Amino acid sequence: MPEIPQAADQPPADAPVSADAPQPSGPPAADRPLPAGLTLRHPTPADHARLQTAWTASRSSATSTTSATSAADGPRARVTALARAYLDFAARNPAVYDAIFRLDGGLAFAHEDTPEPLKDAFAALLEALGEVAGEGVHPGLFTETFWAALHGLATLTRAGRLPPADAERRVELLADRLAVL
């Protein structure tokens, strides 16, 4: 089987995953069937493994986002807790994060046929962010924009392009400037 080319800034497919990353149970991901509703053009074992990881991690992400935001008191605290939880997950689980968002595994986002765990993960973001979108701003559009900002922070921080010393100030700035509180 030909080897899948790896981008220079991405960890190898067999990179270790943090101990607190969502760990699927059962047979290896490449040996499990794809979740119902998912189809790939020309799936490889690596595609199957990435999809299974993304599937499991998306479920875990929805749960951890809900947990982090439900413990917060007030809209600003919820937005800040969401941002911290998202960025912490991305930093602690780079291979899992890449499987969900950076590697093309054929997952459809923002489509009618988007798998339920991905919809659930977005719904958890929307639930926390919808109330701070502001008048006249569609909550879904605001959530996508906030999510894109978080993804940019996660990706640029990991690549060493943003100084880690200012990470908390960035979270505060994002919450203060984007969320109508």
Side-chain angles (χ1 to χ4, degrees), residues 32-178:
R32 290 189 300 253
L34 288 176
L38 278 183
T39 57
L40 297 175
R41 296 171 295 277
H42 302 286
T44 66
D47 290 331
H48 283 276
R50 281 194 299 269
L51 285 171
Q52 288 294 342
T53 300
W55 192 263
T56 302
S58 294
R59 283 190 174 141
S60 176
S61 172
T63 301
S64 65
T65 298
T66 301
S67 176
T69 58
S70 67
D73 185 29
R76 186 181 194 296
R78 278 190 291 282
V79 169
T80 303
L82 178 144
R84 285 184 187 130
Y86 184 96
L87 295 171
D88 288 347
F89 176 85
R92 284 191 325 267
N93 306 290
V96 173
Y97 188 83
D98 283 353
I100 300 170
F101 298 114
R102 295 185 58 191
L103 304 176
D104 180 18
L107 288 175
F109 287 85
H111 293 280
E112 294 217 7
D113 60 345
T114 298
E116 287 304 315
L118 298 179
K119 288 180 182 178
D120 292 346
F122 186 79
L125 295 175
L126 182 61
E127 183 178 334
L129 295 171
E131 69 180 321
V132 297
E135 189 174 326
V137 177
H138 188 278
L141 180 63
F142 176 77
T143 300
E144 289 171 346
T145 303
F146 198 90
W147 176 31
L150 289 174
H151 178 70
L153 288 174
T155 303
L156 292 170
T157 298
R158 182 166 143 209
R161 294 187 175 112
L162 296 175
D166 292 325
E168 185 59 27
R169 289 181 59 207
R170 282 187 207 93
V171 168
E172 298 293 328
L173 182 62
L174 187 62
D176 288 344
R177 299 298 168 109
L178 284 184

